[in-house]
């Protein structure tokens, strides 16, 4: 696994605190930064995760960048669908 | 109403195309920029709106900045709750 991949938290449909814990662990591992990524409806949850980490647990962490973009996926019927994505970069000073 | 307020689209629970239309109108009004804002679960929809506008309708528009933050609200029982928010700044070149 590429080292870059290890710094990424993919936010899905689990409770936010699962991802919060993963992000805290990452930020305390010596890497000091993490990318929180999500697609579609999980985007709102990714923002919650970043904000909970920053405000409640790792108060010296800051949001360095937020990117939004669109990915084109192919569904089971073979149709192309567009899905919105977010990447939130959180880092300790 | 302050002039700044007129350049803001608040994304709620209506279908995304309602907000897309409002954003296109704003970007064609001579102002050339718009802020798309949302809270809570509507955050995903705000990202959809920005991406639809940029990719399908106003192709010379770019995402200039994305901010995420937390607002503290008081609910009907008088309890304070934290709500995640997003602001997406879209502008024509």
């Amino acid at each position: 696994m590429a080292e870059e991949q290890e710094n990424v938290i993919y936010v899905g449909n689990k409770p936010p605190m699962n991802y919060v814990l993963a992000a805290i662990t990452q930020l305390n591992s010596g890497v000091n930064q993490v990318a929180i990524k999500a697609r579609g409806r999980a985007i709102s949850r990714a923002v919650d995760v970043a904000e909970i980490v920053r405000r409640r647990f790792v108060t010296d962490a800051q949001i360095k960048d937020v990117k939004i973009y669109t990915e084109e996926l192919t569904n089971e019927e073979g149709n192309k669908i567009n899905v919105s994505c977010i990447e939130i970069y959180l880092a300790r000073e």
Side-chain angles (χ1 to χ4, degrees), chain A residues 7-87:
Chain A
N7 304 337
V8 178
I9 313 281
Y10 291 97
V11 174
N13 294 319
K14 293 178 190 166
M17 292 311 282
N18 292 36
Y19 307 107
V20 168
L21 188 66
I24 294 168
T25 306
Q26 187 65 246
L27 286 168
N28 288 332
S29 71
V31 178
N32 286 346
Q33 64 176 345
V34 66
I36 298 166
K37 299 189 183 187
R39 291 201 288 217
R41 301 222 175 178
I43 288 174
S44 309
R45 190 172 294 116
V47 175
D48 288 342
V49 168
E51 285 293 287
I52 292 168
V53 170
R54 180 178 72 81
R55 287 166 50 97
R56 235 196 277 173
F57 295 103
V58 190
T59 49
D60 61 342
Q62 290 193 335
I63 290 154
K64 290 296 177 188
D65 196 14
V66 182
K67 286 180 186 158
I68 63 173
Y69 56 96
T70 301
E71 280 185 7
E72 199 174 67
L73 305 179
T74 306
N75 68 8
E76 291 174 357
E77 289 84 36
N79 300 316
K80 285 180 179 175
I81 52 165
N82 292 317
V83 182
S84 299
C85 306
I86 198 165
E87 293 180 5

